[in-house]
Amino acid sequence: QSPPPCWINLEYLSAESWVEDCHGLASPQRVGKLSLNKYFFFPGFTPRTGGLLCEQGLVAERDRWQQDEAGLAAYWASLGLPPKAQDELRISLFTYESEALKSLVASWSQGATPVTLLLPMGRALPDVLCGAGLESAIGTARAGDLLQAGQLAIKLLPMTSQAGYDRLLWSCDLNLVRGEDSFVRAQWAARPFLWHIYPQDDQAHIAKLNDFLDHYLSSLPDLADLPTDAAHWLRAFNHALNHGQDVRELWAQWPQFGTIWQQHARSWSQKLLREGDLVTRLVKFLESRI
């Protein structure tokens, strides 16, 4: 073919520092008699990487959703819930198992602030119900149930489509997410989130968590400064969740840091798209080589 094709090796997502050094590098290949470069393309969180997947129009749709009070009321009604009260927190939780969840849920049920927890049916259900003192419901809980424990209401949700999950993330004040895909979608939601990274026996996941937090919590020139105490709190909270530690003292600081975290989450979402999403960056990369 003339010009020759551009061979792309689309890699996995990582915030590790070596990704910037390897992104876009060429690896000479022989295909029969043909010499061809294979280029490594790394998704990532900085301008020197390939960016993140984000559909065209997603951010505009999110903003419309979050600004539509009547639409949000209709959404909550579709889940069998009243409109959100002035002093209430609504939180989604889609994590792996963690001992930390028991103390966190206990804090919500025993606290002064009303909390509604939106809980898709999944692996975290037993820990959540134990933390709420509702162990007897573990075997009988079904999607659609609304369980009450002190100041905490737990709405059990069926698994949903990607679009349905996005709307849940957009609607909540805080999202606890797991893995990689829901982790990225939580960043596009522009709302505070905690990341329960997939656990590995050799603790390699903790190093990857730290690499992401180094980016997310840094005071960059194009981001509003995140106060040092808030950054330390957020790092500690993510670590406590991932190490299964008691988080009651950490949650007690939400009133102090929740607002600045919300502002930071929106600024971070905007920063991620400043150089374009993954597909936009990939097209530019191909255009420069074909």
Side-chain angles (χ1 to χ4, degrees):
Q1 293 180 351
S2 181
C6 189
W7 184 355
I8 298 292
N9 202 74
L10 184 59
E11 292 284 351
Y12 60 87
L13 172 63
S14 176
E16 294 166 285
S17 58
W18 61 266
V19 165
E20 289 190 336
D21 296 329
C22 294
H23 175 64
L25 290 185
S27 173
Q29 305 288 319
R30 293 287 297 181
V31 183
K33 297 180 179 180
L34 178 66
S35 294
L36 197 64
N37 281 330
K38 176 170 67 173
Y39 294 95
F40 297 99
F41 201 89
F42 281 86
F45 303 93
T46 73
R48 292 177 56 194
T49 66
L52 302 175
L53 283 172
C54 183
E55 305 91 297
Q56 187 176 17
L58 181 73
V59 170
E61 182 183 357
R62 176 203 71 198
D63 288 345
R64 286 193 298 270
W65 180 273
Q66 292 178 340
Q67 295 163 13
D68 182 1
E69 292 188 11
L72 282 168
Y75 173 70
W76 294 127
S78 74
L79 299 181
L81 295 171
K84 180 186 162 189
Q86 187 71 29
D87 63 340
E88 178 190 1
L89 287 176
R90 294 211 162 160
I91 300 171
S92 80
L93 192 151
F94 182 60
T95 70
Y96 306 110
E97 303 89 340
S98 174
E99 283 294 311
L101 297 177
K102 297 178 182 178
S103 59
L104 183 58
V105 171
S107 295
W108 294 336
S109 65
Q110 298 163 14
T113 301
V115 175
T116 299
L117 179 64
L118 289 302
L119 181 66
M121 300 292 291
R123 293 169 57 172
L125 178 66
D127 286 338
V128 169
L129 295 185
C130 284
L134 299 171
E135 294 92 339
S136 62
I138 291 175
T140 58
R142 297 290 182 269
D145 289 352
L146 181 63
L147 309 175
Q148 193 74 37
Q151 288 282 69
L152 173 66
I154 304 172
K155 181 65 179 181
L156 301 181
L157 303 178
M159 298 301 264
T160 184
S161 65
Q162 183 68 72
Y165 186 57
D166 281 334
R167 289 176 173 83
L168 178 63
L169 295 173
W170 297 349
S171 304
C172 289
D173 301 296
L174 170 66
N175 297 301
L176 280 74
V177 297
R178 76 186 198 195
E180 290 187 357
D181 189 60
S182 56
F183 160 60
V184 172
R185 306 309 287 195
Q187 292 172 69
W188 296 140
R191 291 288 168 86
F193 73 94
L194 293 170
W195 183 25
H196 197 189
I197 191 170
Y198 185 77
Q200 295 172 283
D201 292 336
D202 58 1
Q203 297 293 297
H205 62 297
I206 299 300
K208 294 176 181 178
L209 172 66
N210 278 327
D211 288 330
F212 170 72
L213 291 174
D214 287 344
H215 292 297
Y216 184 67
L217 302 180
S218 62
S219 294
L220 301 175
D222 53 352
L223 272 183
D225 283 349
L226 187 64
T228 301
D229 54 352
H232 287 166
W233 173 71
L234 280 173
R235 187 180 293 273
F237 212 154
N238 276 277
H239 272 268
L241 173 63
N242 282 278
H243 286 290
Q245 298 167 344
D246 192 297
V247 298
R248 278 174 282 206
E249 291 186 7
L250 289 163
W251 177 253
Q253 297 175 73
W254 167 270
Q256 180 181 354
F257 296 123
T259 299
I260 188 65
W261 192 3
Q262 170 61 74
Q263 295 167 355
H264 182 75
R266 182 159 293 275
S267 297
W268 174 255
S269 175
Q270 294 166 348
K271 172 191 172 293
L272 289 175
L273 283 178
R274 205 153 290 165
E275 303 293 328
D277 62 285
L278 187 146
V279 174
T280 299
R281 296 191 205 186
L282 179 57
V283 169
K284 290 180 179 178
F285 183 84
L286 292 169
E287 288 176 341
S288 70
R289 284 159 177 80
I290 295 179

